[in-house]
Amino acid sequence: MNPETMNPEALNPKAVNREAVNPGVVNPGAVESEAVNPELAAAGVHFWQGSFVDDEEAARRLAELPELAARTLAEPLPTELVLSACRHLADALGAPDGPVRARLLGVLTDGGTDPEEAAATLSEIADAISRPALERKLRRELGGLHPERLTRPDARETTFEAWAPVGLLVHIAPGNAAAVAPLSVIEGLLTGNLNVLKTSSGDTLLAQHLLAELAGADPTGTLARRIVVLRFSSARTAWLRLLCASADAVAVWGGEDAVRSVAELVPAGCRLIEWGHRISFAYLTRDAWSDGATLDALAADVCRFEQQACSSPQVVYLDTEDHAEVFAFAERFAAHLAATSAELPRPELEPAEHAEITTTELVARLEEHLGLTRVIAAEDGSWRVLADTRPALAASPLNRSVWVKPLPRTAVMTVLRPMRRYLQTAAIGGSRADVARLSQAVLAAGALRVTPVGGMLDSYHGEPHDGVYALQRYSRRVSVRADEAFTTTACLDDLAAPAVVPAAPSGPLLDKAGVQEQLRTLEPAHAHLYFRSGGSTGAPALSVFTNADYDTQMRAAADGLLAAGFDPARDRAANLFYCGGMYGSFISFFSILERLNATQLPIAAGPDHAATAEALVTHGADAVFGMPSYLWQLFHAEGAALRAYGGIRKVFYGGEHFTAEQRRVLTQEFGVEVIRSAAYGSTDLGPLGYQCTHAEGSVHHVLTDLHTLEILDPQADRPAPAGQPGRLVFTSRTRAGQRLERYQIGDLGRSVEGVCPCGSHTPRIELLGRYGDVVRVGTYFLNVRRFIAVAEERLGYRGELQLILDAGDGRERVTVRLDERYAPDPAAAAAAFPAAIAELASAVDEDLLDFTVETAGSGAFERTATSGKLRTVIDRRQLTV
């Protein structure tokens, strides 16, 4: 192992475990920061909370670091701010001719970096901080996209847990891996820390300028207050002491000597996070070492990155004790290494590197006389294979130099375990059974990852680094245990302050047709789960989600259900939503209840009401979930059985609303105690809002963890006045593939001001129906909800109501259809509606339309085939034109 070589995997994300997500639409203005103005940058080489400063100013501020930490860490850092800023910066880095990329390329090349290497470094960083990669990293390492929020890991208990920052996190970065330093700081930001980065005095200013650009992408200034970058030599021990004395954790890269020198400065109780040197090897069975393709792949692993990566092979072990086989393999492998090396340009070696290679090769050649070794090397010195009969693990001098040694599988533990602190990657070549058995052996000996031969330097987003997750090492797991007063509280943070919600993007509004058009170009990687809408407002539309999208949404909806009063520790839920035909209600609520660890009966809506009622009674269901129209039919078709049971205490509905009279019947006649919306949502966007125990009517809290909401004027694309009705326009922030930005879903609503009586600061809206609830007939606008209210208030009607529009002979016709079980005399109803609805009366008086009332059985009411929703407005005029 070369103790001076930090495996610089700036060009290989695996080595530093810096994974992240796919960029979105760049907002150039968002990444233009005053902090990166060249004139300001000229003020110094240190970046301190948004400003470039010189040595004198940095020294003054260092003395005040403890006070700065206390002040800064008192302010929470929402993960959403970091994700949003990283997405903007990733987009800017990905723009080939963009000003941000040009500036940072200049910083690297001015510092002596090869232009091609500089471009590759920025591309790697852009990929690492893209939103999809960071989201995957957060899910894998910290369990979700908002790890800083105190939520209930088990919904049956009122215990809240979160990942909290360690506090002041000092990063002591290596001097030969350009991407490591800024990416480590971004990991520190994802975990909410105040980050102080020390870079080498010989480094370029990439970390300073890149992090300045990141800070500039956050208009709130919160990120800037969490970033300090200092550039100085480790010989400046006074500054190092000041950094470490105030630190809650120190992350250090380097060999044992470097780590030891930092450890001496770290105070008691400070977490020391070591990212030290590692060594990797390949292990081949007889079948594998006889295969030419395997040897070609191994040669490629040796040549990539000149073995500078921790995951590069330095030793090739053979499953044999026969020294002759080792020497014979070395001869064969040398031919493959020579061919591969000839295809790849080799950089000039530094004098120290050349000297180490020469020394290692000379010693090996001297030991040939003892029968211990054999050296096969290129005449021009571009590569070498060092065969050695002794199995002990040994570091190679790198730069296309590799040892070949015998190691029978029975001796794996004996030989490798003493080096367990240094082992990283093992590439195993052999049969499927060999790979399984040998993986167990090398992992038990201390290796941290196993790969195929030829894939040692490859990685995947979310992969652990050196056997740990970086985000967990930069965090603390904290908990709050509460009493039953918090049974309906899903997130403790919502009781403290409003969540930080990024502003909606600018740009055109998106409609349903635009959403469907997006699906034509959606990549298969973003299309795991397909749903169709119920078709209550038109032809069924397709919606596509990734499995991760779906999981995030179901967890958010589950939190909302807790707020609505569902108690997973006590309630027994019957899922009576419709199922089949790719319709998502039943499946979604199955998932929601599953994530709440609730007891559920997945019955689904069906025509056999007697069988459903029997299941409810037999299995003791006390909470039912379903469409109001279906539940209303069920309660009346099986009224006698359900009244006798008397066990249904809670009704959670979706897709429609219960009228006040229907609520009264359920409460007084069936003993229902809670009637509440299970969720407000749409098939396209998923869950959008939830009701709490203090919600009345159609008031819902907005799921701000998922969406940004705008309420626009009904007639113009400008914000509606506070508290006034407007169009609901949502931007979903947690969807991969589909970009549902400024999507107007066809609903009307208004904001509800003030803090909710439930104590949550989450914003609220009152739903006011859909655009389709208002129809133009005979030059007048009629709202079906007004008809429902009149039927309830003036006629005492408690059934369903449909408004039917026909072209008629010469003039249009409006028919109100009522359920014959609850309807008054049609003549009395026909008189009541015009008397209460002035627009209807005027249209009739002016002979613009005919108005009638009809009564019918519940089977005559038209419903959507998929969801079972009642079609409140049936417009037949277009069909008869």
Side-chain angles (χ1 to χ4, degrees), residues 502-815:
S506 58
L509 297 177
L510 181 67
D511 59 14
K512 289 185 178 295
V515 173
Q516 296 303 298
E517 183 62 29
Q518 282 187 5
L519 297 179
R520 298 177 186 275
T521 58
L522 191 63
E523 296 180 10
H526 297 142
H528 299 155
L529 190 58
Y530 289 75
F531 286 128
R532 284 198 179 276
S533 67
S536 55
T537 58
L542 184 67
S543 294
V544 180
F545 302 83
T546 68
N547 290 325
D549 293 341
Y550 179 74
D551 180 67
T552 298
Q553 294 188 347
M554 294 304 99
R555 292 184 185 278
D559 288 345
L561 199 53
L562 286 177
F566 180 76
D567 185 351
R570 298 175 178 85
D571 295 342
R572 298 175 65 83
N575 185 349
L576 299 177
F577 280 100
Y578 280 84
C579 185
M582 295 172 62
Y583 184 61
S585 289
F586 176 86
I587 297 170
S588 295
F589 277 94
F590 180 91
S591 299
I592 290 166
L593 292 168
E594 181 184 40
R595 281 155 179 77
L596 288 173
N597 195 22
T599 300
Q600 69 166 308
L601 308 175
I603 299 171
D608 191 343
H609 297 311
T612 298
E614 180 184 5
L616 297 178
V617 175
T618 301
H619 300 293
D622 56 13
V624 296
F625 289 74
M627 294 287 185
S629 56
Y630 174 79
L631 295 177
W632 185 250
Q633 294 174 59
L634 174 65
F635 274 98
H636 285 76
E638 296 299 319
L642 294 178
R643 285 189 189 93
Y645 170 53
I648 306 298
R649 298 181 298 105
K650 298 179 181 180
V651 171
F652 295 98
Y653 61 89
E656 303 167 327
H657 294 282
F658 283 108
T659 68
E661 181 62 16
Q662 289 172 331
R663 289 171 179 269
R664 185 194 66 77
V665 169
L666 292 176
T667 301
Q668 295 181 4
E669 297 186 17
F670 292 91
V672 176
E673 299 169 5
V674 172
I675 303 173
R676 196 159 286 130
S677 167
Y680 164 51
S682 77
T683 304
D684 302 301
L685 288 164
L688 301 170
Y690 63 92
Q691 286 199 320
C692 66
T693 54
H694 290 265
E696 296 182 353
S698 61
V699 172
H700 287 73
H701 290 271
V702 179
L703 281 169
T704 52
D705 279 356
L706 304 179
H707 312 286
T708 297
L709 170 65
E710 301 171 84
I711 302 179
L712 301 183
D713 185 279
Q715 306 300 326
D717 292 343
R718 59 172 178 265
Q724 295 300 306
R727 294 170 291 153
L728 302 185
V729 177
F730 288 89
T731 293
S732 181
R733 304 191 308 275
T734 58
R735 290 288 289 274
Q738 277 188 290
R739 300 299 298 274
L740 301 183
E741 296 183 344
R742 307 201 75 202
Y743 178 24
Q744 53 179 354
I745 62 173
D747 286 346
L748 299 169
R750 68 177 186 88
S751 61
V752 179
E753 303 303 312
V755 177
C756 181
C758 74
S760 174
H761 291 263
T762 305
R764 292 175 293 161
I765 53 172
E766 180 182 8
L767 302 176
L768 302 176
R770 294 188 61 80
Y771 301 164
D773 290 344
V774 179
V775 293
R776 187 182 180 98
V777 187
T779 76
Y780 286 92
F781 289 97
L782 303 178
N783 191 329
V784 69
R785 292 184 175 274
R786 180 64 178 140
F787 283 83
I788 294 172
V790 170
E792 180 181 325
E793 295 166 5
R794 297 207 173 195
L795 303 173
Y797 180 70
R798 63 192 194 192
E800 296 174 316
L801 180 149
Q802 274 183 336
L803 198 64
I804 304 167
L805 312 177
D806 289 294
D809 296 327
R811 57 176 176 260
E812 295 175 317
R813 182 169 66 252
V814 174
T815 301

Side-chain angles (χ1 to χ4, degrees), residues 104-118:
L104 295 177
L105 280 174
V107 169
L108 283 169
T109 54
D110 290 349
T113 304
D114 175 78
E116 188 173 327
E117 181 183 343

Side-chain angles (χ1 to χ4, degrees), residues 826-847:
F833 286 112
I837 303 172
E839 296 88 351
L840 176 62
S842 296
V844 171
D845 290 342
E846 297 169 19
D847 279 341

Side-chain angles (χ1 to χ4, degrees), residues 39 67 70 81 105 150 201 312 370 374 389 396 401 425 429 458 471 485-486 493 561 662 666 756 764:
E39 295 180 4
E67 293 80 8
L81 278 182
L105 280 174
L150 282 159
S201 58
S312 297
L370 302 176
R374 185 169 301 172
T389 59
S396 89
S401 306
T425 301
D458 297 333
L471 297 186
F486 293 85
D493 302 72
L561 199 53
Q662 289 172 331
L666 292 176
C756 181
R764 292 175 293 161

